[in-house]
Amino acid sequence: GKGEYDHYMKKEIHNQPTALSNTIEGRVEDGEVSLEALPEGSFTDVDAVQLVACGTSYHAAIYGAQLLKSAGVRTEVIRASEYDSVAGPVDENTLTIAVTQSGETADTLGAVREAADRGARTLAVTNVVGSTVAREVDDAVYIRAGPEVGVAATKTFSSQAVTLTLVGQRIVADLDHAEQAEDVEAMLESLSDLPEQVEQILETTDAERLAKQYIDSQSFFFIGNGLGNPVALEGALKFKEITYEHAEGFASGQLKHGPLALVTEQTPVFAVCTGGDDGKTKTNAIEAQTRGAPIVAVSPDEHPVVDTADAHLSVPDTHPVWAGLLANVQLQLVSYYAADLLDRPIDKPRNLAKSVTVE
Ligand code: M6R
């Protein structure tokens, strides 16, 4: 049941420290990633990676693909529903990763089946043992987030992004041509602090106050660059899904190519800064602020964007690879509290199903 919580969504947001501890458990040893089903050397033949997913899982896939891309591994992230028309060439050295919480999403199953037909090797990153995807692919890695009841995916985004980053590092470590990040050890070490840092956010968040402050706005924008980009997209998806208010997520640099026309004092802009490549987020946030928009920085306390922002949601200091996940928890809370203020049926938004088994 929901226990002490009013909604499953809130319970699941608060369950993230435990979920993440389970996700990580036993998977980092002596500065290396170890994945039970996929020992060292499992990926030596891979020369390209495709990730296929929908919705929140698609955002987690963009997040998790970043490490592969920066290591120079050929990587594409594809919306599963578009696989047939947009996927690049595939052969037996292509690894197609289906990212799906439920393991039952028709679009994602369709894409991974098509990839297998074209000759790719397949891997599932899923939450559900025994799901259709897990049965059909060559290998499966479980995110171990525990059951998720709320239609809005929360803890599974966090566990997917971590699992995919670990899978990415396992692939990079197996490939001679891939560029190992200089600070792999620091990155893997800081992962063990993540559950506690999520806890810290849950205990100190200002999200409820901010939700109250901005609830009457016309539209809600979320911007981010680099790893902040999938977090901005996810922030907007969650917001529209459960509040029924208009929300959009953009790559920071794209604001001035059109969406800026919508910006007024009625469009708060959440600027997601992860401590990585954030210059564009700050400059574009300032452009929006000049047009009257309130800026909410979602960033570490010491980040330069905080000086210009009208409000701040704090992200504990961590390695830039994980900071976006913490920012995302703050945005989950903003959506939750906004939807609660509007008295929406948070766990079962209208027109949506937990798993979408039609194409
Ligand atoms: O089970 P899956 O991860 O394959 O589901 C994919 C999407 O349908 C899902 O993430 C959806 O976008 C969520 N309701 C978002 O909160």
Side-chain angles (χ1 to χ4, degrees):
K2 291 182 288 213
E4 62 188 282
Y5 300 100
D6 294 341
H7 300 96
Y8 280 104
M9 183 185 180
K10 190 168 190 196
K11 180 183 176 189
E12 286 156 5
I13 291 172
H14 281 257
N15 188 230
Q16 287 176 112
T18 307
L20 283 168
S21 299
N22 292 335
T23 300
I24 298 163
E25 164 118 60
R27 287 178 164 168
V28 178
E29 270 162 4
D30 307 323
E32 280 193 35
V33 175
S34 94
L35 296 171
E36 45 296 336
L38 296 157
E40 197 180 328
S42 300
F43 295 114
T44 42
D45 291 338
V46 170
D47 68 16
V49 178
Q50 297 178 327
L51 296 98
V52 297
C54 297
T56 293
S57 295
Y58 173 70
H59 301 146
I62 300 175
Y63 198 105
Q66 197 55 44
L67 186 129
L68 287 165
K69 290 187 177 179
S70 56
V73 180
R74 267 209 295 150
T75 305
E76 332 173 64
V77 188
I78 305 165
R79 291 181 186 85
S81 57
E82 292 177 89
Y83 188 85
D84 292 354
S85 42
V86 308
V90 166
D91 62 26
E92 71 276 10
N93 300 115
T94 306
L95 177 70
T96 302
I97 306 179
V99 185
T100 164
Q101 185 285 128
S102 62
E104 305 296 343
T105 301
D107 287 322
T108 308
L109 288 169
V112 75
R113 283 171 186 151
E114 177 65 25
D117 281 352
R118 296 184 191 180
R121 171 178 168 191
T122 57
L123 171 70
V125 171
T126 182
N127 198 28
V128 181
V129 178
S131 56
T132 304
V133 83
R135 282 182 277 126
E136 291 192 10
V137 290
D138 297 320
D139 295 288
V141 176
Y142 295 98
I143 66 168
R144 304 181 191 151
E148 190 176 65
V149 177
V151 166
T154 52
K155 63 177 179 173
T156 54
F157 173 90
S158 300
S159 291
Q160 283 172 327
V162 167
T163 307
L164 286 167
T165 303
L166 294 178
V167 169
Q169 175 54 32
R170 177 72 266 150
I171 294 171
V172 168
D174 277 356
L175 298 181
D176 293 335
H177 69 86
E179 291 247 350
Q180 290 276 351
E182 270 170 44
D183 59 347
V184 186
E185 256 178 73
M187 172 187 88
L188 293 177
E189 234 178 73
S190 55
L191 180 56
S192 59
D193 298 329
L194 201 61
E196 210 173 292
Q197 290 172 320
V198 172
E199 193 65 59
Q200 191 184 324
I201 290 177
L202 298 173
E203 283 165 14
T204 60
T205 185
D206 212 13
E208 186 170 13
R209 199 181 61 78
L210 284 189
K212 270 202 193 107
Q213 187 175 344
Y214 295 117
I215 195 73
D216 292 326
S217 307
Q218 203 169 53
S219 185
F220 300 80
F221 287 2
F222 298 78
I223 61 170
N225 191 39
L227 282 172
N229 178 40
V231 175
L233 300 179
E234 174 59 10
L237 176 64
K238 210 93 305 171
F239 202 89
K240 67 183 82 163
E241 184 177 27
I242 60 166
T243 69
Y244 308 163
E245 295 295 314
H246 181 242
E248 293 296 335
F250 304 108
S252 308
Q254 291 300 312
L255 207 57
K256 58 186 174 296
H257 296 292
L260 199 55
L262 295 169
V263 166
T264 67
E265 65 288 349
Q266 282 298 313
T267 54
V269 176
F270 291 83
V272 179
C273 292
T274 60
D277 214 358
D278 298 324
K280 288 181 187 165
T281 306
K282 186 179 170 189
T283 51
N284 286 280
I286 292 170
E287 287 299 315
Q289 196 178 39
T290 310
R291 275 84 186 170
I295 302 304
V296 182
V298 190
S299 74
D301 293 349
E302 304 300 316
H303 197 283
V305 73
V306 179
D307 303 337
T308 43
D310 300 280
H312 179 222
L313 288 168
S314 175
V315 170
D317 287 321
T318 180
H319 190 278
V321 165
W322 312 120
L325 287 173
L326 296 171
N328 188 58
V329 174
Q330 288 282 25
L331 295 182
Q332 291 170 349
L333 290 160
V334 171
S335 288
Y336 175 80
Y337 286 117
D340 199 35
L341 284 167
L342 296 168
D343 214 17
R344 305 294 188 221
I346 293 181
D347 287 330
K348 281 192 189 306
R350 67 184 176 203
N351 311 337
L352 300 177
K354 180 67 183 162
S355 85
V356 184
T357 53
V358 289
E359 279 190 29

